[in-house]
Amino acid sequence: MYYKFSGFTQRLTGAASSTASPQGLRSNIPSESPTIVFGTPTKVVSQSSPAVEYMGVNKVPDLQRIFQASDEVPIHLKRVVPDRLLYRTTMALTVGGALYCLVALYIAAQPKNK
Amino acid sequence: MAHQAHAYHMVDPSPWPLTGAVGALLMTSGLAIWFHFHSTTLLTLGLILLLLTMYQWWRDIIREGTFQGHHTPPVQKGLRYGMILFITSEVFFFLGFFWAFYHSSLAPTPELGGCWPPTGITPLDPFEVPLLNTAVLLASGVTVTWAHHSIMEGERKQAIQSLALTIILGLYFTALQAMEYYEAPFTIADGVYGSTFFVATGFHGLHVIIGSSFLAVCLLRQIQYHFTSEHHFGFEAAAWYWHFVDVVWLFLYVSIYWWGS
């Protein structure tokens, strides 16, 4: 039983239907990913004639498994090596840039010597 | 794990709002430093930070939606509201420039010669490249709709081809417009005519580039099987934005290029 916010009455109302529960937040998620709508295209590939898929193979189910691993890692670091590198570079530029900016503005604020 | 008593998606703590804000600080103060001290270091740093923030923030949203399944119908509704409100804000942005144009062109001052186009200005022929540009954008509106229907019907190859065609048309528009800018007999410094022309069409061109980039990301995602026939909001948002860009051009063409000549 979950609460649903009624935009009309501006109140929480009961909603017994499961459509209100977001995926990924149920505690009974199995370790393998269930058949999610997002994973497979509507036309099953085995039904279409070409032996090789058009422009690459579907890697979404594998990625879903990786990103749904319950390891408490936030989304922006879930892929460890590339994510951490990019995050650290960005943070370094952020902190360094902010300090450089303050210094530049301090210098710019000095009166010109005649 | 505790259940939440609402349907909204509570995202993981993220550093990107902070990095984006610092990027904005660096770009604005960088602009000031460039103007007064001729150094572009701060500005460049800000731009790099902005690009890094955009890449990682939107990458995380794709992970949350496509890979973790957090974009349920109630969440998607919120995303739709968000995109519509953003596009509405952009409409008001352009409204300002159209206001400026009509303010100056409906009652031309004596300094301009009391006429519009002002004395000495040779406007572009609206029935040459500008008309071609109109046809290009209208055609791209058709191809993006074709792409949408292809996605909804599960036609992978057609979706990829029509989306690619849309992007090519967008790039063609940008190339034609760049050539027009180079060849134009007037510049942004040519009084209020130059100002209103280049600022309005210039911001529009920037939005065409943004829209083309958004569609390009959608093309990459479509190739990588992110979209399903029922759920492809990223593409829909890009298509809405593209139609908005198209409509702004139509207003620009009729007002500035056609009536304004």
Side-chain angles (χ1 to χ4, degrees):
Chain A
M1 167 74 173
Y2 291 105
Y3 290 104
K4 173 178 72 153
F5 184 68
S6 164
F8 182 65
T9 58
Q10 301 288 303
R11 278 196 179 94
L12 288 178
T13 57
S17 74
S18 60
T19 52
S21 73
Q23 285 194 36
L25 284 171
R26 296 199 301 270
S27 57
N28 58 347
I29 288 183
S31 50
E32 309 96 44
S33 55
T35 333
I36 308 170
V37 167
F38 318 101
T40 49
T42 312
K43 274 201 181 134
V44 179
V45 175
S46 56
Q47 288 174 358
S48 53
S49 39
V52 178
E53 293 183 21
Y54 185 73
M55 289 196 83
V57 72
N58 188 359
K59 296 201 192 85
V60 172
D62 301 322
L63 289 162
Q64 285 174 332
R65 210 175 308 118
I66 296 172
F67 284 103
Q68 288 180 33
S70 25
D71 51 8
E72 305 281 319
V73 176
I75 189 76
H76 66 280
L77 292 168
K78 207 88 168 168
R79 280 207 114 177
V80 195
V81 178
D83 287 2
R84 214 169 46 188
L85 185 63
L86 218 48
Y87 168 71
R88 288 179 180 180
T89 309
T90 311
M91 251 340 188
L93 287 175
T94 304
V95 174
L99 290 169
Y100 178 49
C101 177
L102 293 172
V103 168
L105 289 173
Y106 177 77
I107 295 172
Q110 301 305 315
K112 277 197 290 237
N113 295 322
K114 289 237 170 106
Chain B
M1 190 162 47
H3 290 154
Q4 58 184 34
H6 62 82
Y8 304 113
H9 176 210
M10 304 304 289
V11 300
D12 291 337
S14 170
W16 313 130
L18 177 67
T19 63
V22 171
L25 169 68
L26 260 49
M27 284 198 302
T28 46
S29 44
L31 216 54
I33 297 292
W34 180 38
F35 291 162
H36 292 279
F37 300 97
H38 304 287
S39 164
T40 53
T41 314
L42 209 48
L43 182 60
T44 314
L45 202 51
L47 278 163
I48 293 171
L49 209 45
L50 178 74
L51 288 166
L52 281 169
T53 303
M54 291 195 295
Y55 173 74
Q56 291 173 100
W57 195 331
W58 285 324
R59 173 207 67 190
D60 288 352
I61 294 174
I62 292 173
R63 288 177 174 179
E64 289 159 5
T66 306
F67 303 142
Q68 291 188 330
H70 283 299
H71 291 180
T72 58
V75 172
Q76 209 193 107
K77 197 155 160 232
L79 294 172
R80 286 174 189 274
Y81 274 131
M83 192 65 195
I84 287 172
L85 287 170
F86 173 65
I87 292 176
T88 307
S89 76
E90 295 253 75
V91 168
F92 282 104
F93 179 72
F94 277 97
L95 225 54
F97 296 120
F98 277 100
W99 185 347
F101 169 73
Y102 278 111
H103 174 94
S104 301
S105 59
L106 283 167
T109 61
E111 288 85 355
L112 302 173
C115 55
W116 193 275
T119 313
I121 296 281
T122 41
L124 300 170
D125 187 341
F127 299 110
E128 292 192 352
V129 176
L131 186 60
L132 173 60
N133 273 342
T134 307
V136 167
L137 281 187
L138 287 174
S140 71
V142 170
T143 53
V144 83
T145 308
W146 174 17
H148 190 195
H149 284 272
S150 303
I151 291 173
M152 289 193 291
E153 284 152 34
E155 295 277 357
R156 177 178 166 77
K157 201 159 103 162
Q158 279 199 42
I160 290 171
Q161 287 173 347
S162 49
L163 192 42
L165 190 50
T166 309
I167 296 164
I168 288 168
L169 287 167
L171 294 172
Y172 186 35
F173 176 95
T174 306
L176 284 167
Q177 195 70 327
M179 186 213 71
E180 279 284 270
Y181 270 30
Y182 187 72
E183 302 282 341
F186 53 86
T187 71
I188 196 172
D190 285 325
V192 74
Y193 184 89
S195 299
T196 51
F197 180 89
F198 283 107
V199 170
T201 61
F203 270 118
H204 174 261
L206 178 64
H207 284 70
V208 171
I209 292 167
I210 292 169
S212 304
S213 308
F214 196 171
L215 288 167
V217 169
C218 287
L219 178 60
L220 286 170
R221 293 187 68 200
Q222 164 63 13
I223 291 170
Q224 289 172 19
Y225 297 87
H226 287 198
F227 299 136
T228 70
S229 51
E230 265 94 52
H231 190 156
H232 43 265
F233 176 65
F235 172 81
E236 287 185 67
W240 289 350
Y241 195 80
W242 193 252
H243 288 306
F244 154 71
V245 160
D246 191 2
V247 169
V248 169
W249 171 258
L250 293 174
F251 277 97
L252 278 174
Y253 179 71
V254 168
S255 309
I256 297 182
Y257 285 89
W258 196 352
W259 177 83
S261 67

